[in-house]
Amino acid sequence: MNTVRRAAATALAAVAVLGAGAAGPATAAPSPTPSAGKLPAGLYGTKDPTYDGVWRQSLSFLAQRATGYQPADQAVEWLLGQQCEDGAFPSYRADAAKPCDAKTMRDTNATAAAVQALAAVRRQSAAPGKADQAVKAGSDWLKSVQNKDGGWGYGAGGASDANSTSVVVGALAATGVRPGEFTSAEGRSPYDALLTFALPCSDEEGPGAFAYQPDKAGKLFANADATAAATLAGLGKSMVATKASPEQVPTCTDLPKPTPERAALNGASYLAKTLATTHHLVQPPMPGAADTTEQPDFGNTADAVVALSAAGASKEAMPALEWLEKNSAAWAKESGPAAYAQLILAARATETDPRKFGSVDLVERLNAAGPAPKSPDTSASDSSTADEEDSGFDLWWIIGIGTVVGVGIGFLLSGRKK
C-alpha cells in the first residue's frame, strides 16, 4: 500500500501526472482549499486537506484501531460524509453537503484507504450500518472502475500503476475478498496487473523491484515506494501488517511463471538491499528544484519496514525502524497525523512499542491531532471467530487493547493482513 502514501505531495504529483495524460484522462481538480481556521471539526490534522484529507483520516483510523482505540464518532461521521453517492471518495470535499458531480475528482487511493478504515471501525462506530454501507459502496465503485488489465490508476480510467493497484488490493484483503478473484470483465485480476510492474532478478539496477508504471517506451524502472506497496499486495495484505513467522532472509528468484507471492518476496529482497547501507530510503529532488540534494524519505522508509516484516524479514527491517526512532520526530511533527500513523504501523509490524518510539509517544501525538478517540472499547472482544475472519480487523483491535492496558509490553501477536 503501496502501501501507497497519499500525502499531499504525492497526491499533487499524481494529479500532475493525470493532467499531463501519462496516467490516463485528466479529471477535475479537487474541492477548493478551505479557508484558514475553517477546517471541519471531525478532521485530523490542521494543514490544508485538499489533497490528503480522506487519506490522512483513514490512516489515522487504522493506526488508532491497531493501538486499541476507537475513533471518535465525529471523526467517523466526517469520513462517511466525504463519500460520493456512487461510492467513491475524493481526496477531499470542502462542502460535503453539495452532491458530487462530474467535476468531482474521484480518487481510487482515497477510496481504497477509506474502505480499509471504515471496515476497521464499522462494528464499534456510532452508525455501524452506515459504515457497512459505505464499505460496500466503496468496494462496488472500485470494481466498476477496474481496468481491463485488472489494475487501477490514481483516477478512474487512468492507466494502472503499482501503487494504486496495491492499495486497492489492501482494501480487498481488509474486507475479506480474495484479490485473485476480483477480476475485470476481461478476466484479469489485480495480480495480473501487478506482475507487469515487477522487474526480474537479472535487472542490474533494481533486481526484484517493482516499477510505478512503465515509461513511454515500455521500460520499467525500480521504485522503492511502489516496491513496498506491491510487496504487501503480493502477500495479500492490507496497510496494517504484522510480523510474519518464521523469519526468512529475503532472496530474489525468477520463476518461469512468477506468482504474486514470489514477486513480493523478490520485492522484499530489493528493499532489504536498498536499506542495508543507510537504513533509510531517499526521495529524489523535484523536477526543476534549485536544491538537487536527495533527502531522507521517512514515509516510504516506514512503508518498507512494514513490507519487510510482513515478508518475514523483520531482522532486515529493524535497522530502518531504529533509524526512524532516532530521526523521524521532526518530520512527523511537521507532517501531521498520516506521518504518526505510518510510524505506528511500522512499529506494530516489528512488535515495537509505539508509545516509546525514540523520545516520542506516537499514540499520544496521533490522538491529539483530532477528536479524542474512545479508549478502550472492549465490545469487539465479543465478536465471533467468523466475524474476525470476515473483517480482518477485530483481532488486532483486541491486540491493541492489550498493548494499551499493559504499557511497555509492545505488540505480542502476529498474523498479517493486507
Side-chain angles (χ1 to χ4, degrees):
M1 178 246 88
N2 53 60
T3 297
V4 170
R5 307 320 161 189
R6 194 54 54 190
T10 305
L12 279 166
V15 171
V17 169
L18 285 171
T27 51
S31 301
T33 301
S35 301
K38 293 185 178 180
L39 291 179
L43 175 65
Y44 275 79
T46 59
K47 292 192 174 184
D48 179 7
T50 301
Y51 295 102
D52 77 330
V54 169
W55 180 262
R56 76 195 194 200
Q57 191 88 346
S58 298
L59 260 65
S60 296
F61 286 8
L62 293 174
Q64 285 180 330
R65 295 289 285 138
T67 52
Y69 288 85
Q70 164 67 12
D73 293 343
Q74 183 182 39
V76 175
E77 289 291 348
W78 180 87
L79 184 56
L80 288 169
Q82 289 290 296
Q83 190 172 34
C84 296
E85 291 75 8
D86 60 7
F89 282 80
S91 299
Y92 173 75
R93 281 203 294 158
D95 185 2
K98 181 181 178 181
C100 298
D101 56 24
K103 295 181 180 180
T104 303
M105 183 177 174
R106 290 152 171 84
D107 176 349
T108 62
N109 290 236
T111 301
V115 165
Q116 294 186 52
L118 291 171
V121 304
R122 61 187 179 187
R123 288 187 177 86
Q124 292 78 33
S125 68
K130 290 174 63 178
D132 281 338
Q133 292 170 12
V135 168
K136 184 180 186 306
S139 298
D140 289 347
W141 181 80
L142 289 169
K143 176 69 173 177
S144 73
V145 297
Q146 185 176 20
N147 290 332
K148 293 180 179 180
D149 63 6
W152 288 266
Y154 177 77
S160 297
D161 65 74
N163 293 55
S164 299
T165 300
S166 295
V167 75
V168 174
V169 168
L172 298 177
T175 54
V177 177
R178 295 181 182 276
E181 298 176 359
F182 201 81
T183 57
S184 65
E186 291 72 21
R188 300 293 183 87
S189 77
Y191 287 149
D192 290 321
L194 207 57
L195 289 174
T196 66
F197 304 117
L199 278 70
C201 298
S202 58
D203 187 273
E204 294 182 1
E205 297 184 5
F210 284 80
Y212 172 74
Q213 280 180 330
D215 66 7
K216 293 181 179 180
K219 184 173 175 57
L220 299 177
F221 292 92
N223 182 296
D225 184 18
T227 302
T231 294
L232 281 177
L235 295 171
K237 301 179 182 294
S238 71
M239 289 190 284
V240 183
T242 53
K243 184 169 70 174
S245 181
E247 284 279 315
Q248 55 183 326
V249 177
T251 58
C252 196
T253 303
D254 282 328
L255 299 177
K257 187 176 181 180
T259 63
E261 183 178 14
R262 182 64 258 172
L265 296 177
N266 290 348
S269 174
Y270 171 80
L271 292 173
K273 291 178 180 178
T274 304
L275 290 169
T277 302
T278 62
H279 309 316
H280 68 272
L281 301 176
V282 297
Q283 54 186 6
M286 294 293 289
D291 184 0
T292 58
T293 305
E294 291 184 334
Q295 299 296 324
D297 192 330
F298 298 95
N300 286 335
T301 299
D303 296 344
V305 168
V306 176
L308 283 171
S309 293
S314 60
K315 180 179 179 181
E316 286 73 16
M318 284 307 298
L321 190 283
E322 292 166 359
W323 182 89
L324 287 169
E325 285 187 287
K326 295 177 181 177
N327 298 284
S328 66
W331 165 77
K333 183 177 181 180
E334 170 64 21
S335 301
Y340 286 122
Q342 284 181 273
L343 294 175
I344 287 172
L345 295 180
R348 179 181 182 276
T350 55
E351 298 179 349
T352 300
D353 188 351
R355 291 184 173 276
K356 298 180 180 179
F357 198 79
S359 61
V360 179
D361 183 336
L362 298 175
V363 178
E364 180 182 58
R365 295 287 180 87
L366 174 61
N367 290 347
K374 303 173 184 178
S375 166
D377 180 353
T378 58
S379 61
S381 62
D382 296 329
S383 300
S384 67
T385 301
D387 285 342
E388 290 168 3
E389 292 176 350
D390 176 63
S391 71
F393 284 96
D394 287 338
L395 173 60
W396 50 267
W397 164 260
I398 296 169
I399 295 170
I401 291 173
T403 302
V404 171
V405 174
V407 175
I409 293 178
F411 298 98
L412 304 180
L413 299 182
S414 64
R416 183 18 216 158
K417 146 164 210 357
K418 165 187 187 189

